[in-house]
Amino acid sequence: MNTNLDYNKGMSLGWRLCFILSLFATIPRLIFVWGEGSGATHYIIAFFTLIIQFVISFGFSWIFIFLCLQHTYKIPSWFNQQKSWLKVTFLVALFLGINELLFQLKLIIDSDNSNITVFRIVYYLYHLHLLLAILGFRYFLSTIQANHRINLENEQLKRAQLKTQLEALRNQLNPHFLFNALNILNISIITNPDLAQRIVLDLSDILRYNLKVQNQNLVLLTDELDAAKSYLDLYKARFGDKLVFYIADVQTTKQWYVIPLSLQLLIENAIKHNVITTAQVLIIEIRLSEPDKELTIMNTVNKKQSSHGNNIGLQNLDKRYKIQTGQKTSLTENEQHYTVKVPLIEAP
């Protein structure tokens, strides 16, 4: 919170409050003095009387508003360094001292001093009302400052919480990916050593991409598609003709962004929860729709009996989209197809 900026705003409001209080304090005097007589001399004297009244009210108001601002925004000063009881004593003494000084000044200026006691009481009550208005102003400033501090703390807490959630969601993806990737490489080395070198290159590209995007909130769609193709190539090496994939209509007219590793997660999800055999070929299709600003990932459904289908991976992806972009993914499922639509994000 910028204390100097808040203090300057408070000063600006304080000057305005001084003017308003002084103006309202002068209006009754205006009505009273203006109706006492007539003639040019009377009006000149009345005018100067009103000016003096306005200046006195303004000066009195500003002294206490200044102290209130100093105290509210904790500006380094002698007053703020004192204990609470000493501050209160000082303010009471200051109020009585200024009132008495101004009262004596009014006695010198005012020609009618017939009832000094009543005049003194009225004069003190008049300034007491000004002081109460100033204390109300201080309460208003304190409330705004407290609300601003609470909102700022809540915003900082919210950001920290979102950052923690995001890191937790990212960390859930990496072990799952590494387990499947190493399993694919292990099978390929045993069944087809000649293919192992290409698999190692694909795996190297994928791991490099994973390290690159680990601390990024958004990545280029083209980079994500390249990584997804390498990922599918690894699984293709394992399943052969039992796995078919299409990446279609991915030519773009502008740069689009997606959540990193979103395609990898959805591909992994499709392979994990479906039976893949010669008779039950898994087909995965990735298609881009620029007008709808979405990327569609669709796969055929041949669910494993042991698969519970709790969609934790998709829920995590959906949370990441909500946290980082405010958007959400969409899911449709029937007996033949499982379709997820991922929002495309324009240049951040």
Side-chain angles (χ1 to χ4, degrees), residues 298-309:
M298 182 181 67
N299 63 268
T300 52
V301 177
N302 300 300
K303 283 192 175 180
K304 297 177 181 177
Q305 291 184 353
S306 59
S307 176
H308 299 292

Side-chain angles (χ1 to χ4, degrees), residues 181 184-204 233-234 237-238:
I184 294 170
L185 178 59
N186 182 52
I187 294 173
S188 300
I189 291 173
I190 296 172
T191 58
N192 192 344
D194 295 335
L195 192 60
Q197 185 176 5
R198 194 172 79 235
I199 293 175
V200 168
L201 293 175
D202 283 335
L203 182 56
S204 176
D233 283 339
L234 281 177
R238 175 182 173 183

Side-chain angles (χ1 to χ4, degrees), residues 81-327:
Q81 292 173 357
Q82 307 308 310
K83 295 180 179 180
S84 297
W85 67 268
L86 191 57
K87 289 180 182 177
V88 174
T89 304
F90 175 77
L91 288 174
V92 172
L94 184 65
F95 175 77
L96 295 175
I98 292 177
N99 267 285
E100 188 60 30
L101 179 64
L102 295 177
F103 175 70
Q104 295 299 328
L105 180 63
K106 284 288 291 181
L107 289 180
I108 296 172
I109 297 173
D110 205 319
S111 58
D112 183 12
N113 299 324
S114 57
N115 198 335
I116 296 178
T117 303
V118 175
F119 186 42
R120 185 191 295 271
I121 294 172
V122 171
Y123 198 73
Y124 272 66
L125 287 175
Y126 158 73
H127 281 112
L128 182 62
H129 281 89
L130 290 181
L131 184 61
L132 290 175
I134 293 168
L135 291 176
F137 173 67
R138 181 191 176 281
Y139 177 77
F140 169 73
L141 290 180
S142 299
T143 303
I144 290 179
Q145 188 182 35
N147 289 337
H148 180 59
R149 187 185 299 110
I150 291 171
N151 290 336
L152 185 61
E153 290 174 354
N154 287 341
E155 186 65 26
Q156 291 173 344
L157 182 63
K158 182 179 178 182
R159 289 181 182 178
Q161 185 178 10
L162 292 181
K163 185 178 180 180
T164 302
Q165 291 179 14
L166 183 57
E167 290 300 323
L169 293 174
R170 282 172 173 164
N171 292 334
Q172 289 177 13
L173 297 176
N174 291 337
H176 200 187
F177 161 74
L178 290 174
F179 173 79
N180 284 285
L182 292 174
N183 189 42
I184 294 170
L185 178 59
N186 182 52
I187 294 173
S188 300
I189 291 173
I190 296 172
T191 58
N192 192 344
D194 295 335
L195 192 60
Q197 185 176 5
R198 194 172 79 235
I199 293 175
V200 168
L201 293 175
D202 283 335
L203 182 56
S204 176
D205 290 340
I206 294 170
L207 289 174
R208 189 182 301 110
Y209 179 73
N210 273 253
L211 291 173
K212 174 185 174 183
V213 304
Q214 193 170 26
N215 295 317
Q216 294 184 16
N217 294 328
L218 298 172
V219 293
L220 279 169
L221 173 63
T222 51
D223 293 341
E224 183 74 8
L225 286 169
D226 289 340
K229 187 177 183 306
S230 297
Y231 196 70
L232 283 166
D233 283 339
L234 281 177
Y235 275 114
K236 182 71 174 177
R238 175 182 173 183
F239 293 108
D241 294 337
K242 302 170 190 175
L243 174 65
V244 177
F245 65 88
Y246 303 99
I247 301 179
D249 301 333
V250 291
Q251 297 299 321
T252 61
T253 58
K254 62 169 68 174
Q255 285 188 334
W256 296 102
Y257 291 80
V258 293
I259 296 292
L261 306 178
S262 52
L263 293 183
Q264 178 180 298
L265 171 66
L266 295 173
I267 293 167
E268 187 178 87
N269 189 66
I271 293 171
K272 177 181 178 181
H273 294 291
N274 289 284
V275 175
I276 304 177
T277 64
T278 305
Q280 294 176 304
V281 176
L282 178 64
I283 302 173
I284 298 176
E285 181 178 350
I286 301 174
R287 191 175 296 274
L288 171 69
S289 175
E290 282 194 289
D292 297 326
K293 297 183 180 180
E294 61 186 20
L295 189 68
T296 301
I297 302 90
M298 182 181 67
N299 63 268
T300 52
V301 177
N302 300 300
K303 283 192 175 180
K304 297 177 181 177
Q305 291 184 353
S306 59
S307 176
H308 299 292
N310 51 18
N311 294 327
I312 292 178
L314 184 60
Q315 289 174 11
N316 287 345
L317 180 62
D318 194 50
K319 286 181 181 178
R320 292 172 68 194
Y321 261 99
K322 288 179 181 178
I323 290 172
Q324 294 176 208
T325 69
Q327 302 184 61

Side-chain angles (χ1 to χ4, degrees), residues 52-84:
I52 292 171
Q53 178 66 51
F54 182 87
V55 171
I56 289 174
S57 300
F58 191 92
F60 176 87
S61 300
W62 177 244
I63 290 172
F64 286 95
I65 284 177
F66 177 77
L67 290 175
C68 285
L69 290 171
Q70 293 274 315
H71 180 67
T72 301
Y73 295 107
K74 296 179 173 60
I75 303 300
S77 64
W78 173 87
F79 181 74
N80 285 332
Q81 292 173 357
Q82 307 308 310
K83 295 180 179 180
S84 297

